[in-house]
Amino acid sequence: EQVVAQQALKRDLEVAREMQQALLPKAAPDVAGYHFFQHYQAAYEVGGDYYDYVLLPEDRFAAVVGDVAGKGVSAAILMAKLSSDVRFWLAREPDPAVALGKINAAFSRHGWDDRFVTMVVAVVDPQACELTLVNAGHMPPLLRTIDGTVTEIGGDEAGLPLGVADDYQYEAYRREFLAGDFLTIFTDGFSEAMNSKRELFGMERLIALCSDKGTKPEDLGPCILDSVRKFAGDYPQSDDMCLVCFGRE
């Protein structure tokens, strides 16, 4: 009876994993002059990290990365609920900061106990060559410019995670997004990846990878993923991992 119950639970988790994968984008957007890279890997069968691409009016697009507090099935259920709210409000509200406020209000109304979500919404207007970034308690993304300089952006404007205060008003960070610019958004499964010596990969290694002028921007995403995997080796993955990169040619 125990074996049968375990097999049934395993099947349920496999179905949950397939359903979660179905909620993630099938492919990156096809935007002229831009290249994308994305990676998602849950620590268990299902996870609470989340990413999405949303095509917006006036030929804009949004890249979204989120991290639900916790892991496993409960975090995955919250991620699924969140994904529909994100698409709805980004499509309906032209101001990303206002849209994130609406997403936060909808999420907070459900009263998820102590659950909260960190999130970054990056909206690009290719016609105006403008990047708008709204951060809800997430680690600042890394921006690499054409000369190889890497900076953490949007940290000063970052607000509270989703689910902390239902009426919070978010602030947007804006800058030009020029030829050769490349943005890397990640969850802490990358920066806090651990090896057998219990060492963390850390932000310094991530920034050094992004700063390497020997790596072409379009190769940077796969390079980060490969470097983190080599660093961790056979040590078990302890957290969900989500990476979204995009740049302008």
Side-chain angles (χ1 to χ4, degrees):
E1 289 179 353
Q2 289 178 344
V3 170
V4 170
Q6 289 174 352
Q7 289 176 341
L9 177 59
K10 183 179 179 180
R11 284 195 299 271
D12 286 346
L13 288 173
E14 288 174 351
V15 171
R17 178 176 58 81
E18 292 172 359
M19 293 177 64
Q20 184 176 48
Q21 290 294 324
L23 292 173
L24 300 175
K26 298 294 186 296
D30 183 10
V31 181
Y34 285 79
H35 50 86
F36 298 81
F37 176 83
Q38 59 281 325
H39 173 79
Y40 181 91
Q41 184 174 355
Y44 305 123
E45 285 82 356
V46 290
D49 280 6
Y50 154 76
Y51 81 93
D52 203 357
Y53 296 115
V54 186
L55 296 179
L56 302 174
E58 301 176 354
D59 297 325
R60 299 175 301 145
F61 70 86
V64 185
V65 172
D67 186 353
V68 179
K71 294 179 284 293
V73 174
S74 59
I77 292 172
L78 291 186
M79 184 274 272
K81 173 67 175 75
L82 197 60
S83 65
S84 62
D85 290 342
V86 167
R87 282 187 161 269
F88 176 81
W89 283 112
L90 285 179
R92 182 171 180 176
E93 173 54 59
D95 186 334
V98 175
L100 195 61
K102 299 290 188 180
I103 294 165
N104 172 60
F107 183 83
S108 300
R109 278 197 297 267
H110 289 284
W112 303 109
D113 295 327
D114 295 329
R115 294 283 184 153
F116 62 89
V117 181
T118 66
M119 179 175 288
V120 168
V121 176
V123 176
V124 176
D125 185 339
Q127 303 301 322
C129 302
E130 184 180 61
L131 168 70
T132 302
L133 195 75
V134 190
N135 189 328
H138 200 82
M139 292 169 294
L142 300 177
L143 178 72
R144 168 175 161 167
T145 56
I146 195 169
D147 63 358
T149 302
V150 175
T151 53
E152 295 179 302
I153 63 170
D156 292 340
E157 293 79 10
L160 295 175
L162 306 181
V164 175
D166 60 2
D167 58 350
Y168 190 82
Q169 296 183 356
Y170 291 92
E171 182 180 353
Y173 165 90
R174 291 181 172 86
R175 62 165 289 141
E176 288 184 299
F177 201 68
L178 304 173
D181 284 353
F182 190 84
L183 191 68
T184 300
I185 313 173
F186 54 94
T187 59
D188 55 9
F190 277 84
S191 58
E192 296 179 6
M194 193 175 294
N195 62 14
S196 58
K197 298 179 181 179
R198 310 284 288 181
E199 299 170 331
L200 298 179
F201 190 79
M203 285 300 302
E204 289 185 4
R205 288 187 176 90
L206 272 176
I207 293 173
L209 283 172
C210 293
S211 305
D212 186 356
K213 295 181 180 180
T215 305
K216 297 179 181 179
E218 59 267 27
D219 297 330
L220 192 53
C223 179
I224 292 172
L225 180 58
D226 184 62
S227 297
V228 171
R229 282 174 169 170
K230 288 181 178 177
F231 175 83
D234 295 330
Y235 194 79
Q237 180 181 337
S238 58
D239 200 357
D240 304 328
M241 299 176 70
C242 183
L243 175 69
V244 171
C245 310
F246 65 86
R248 183 180 167 196
E249 298 172 359

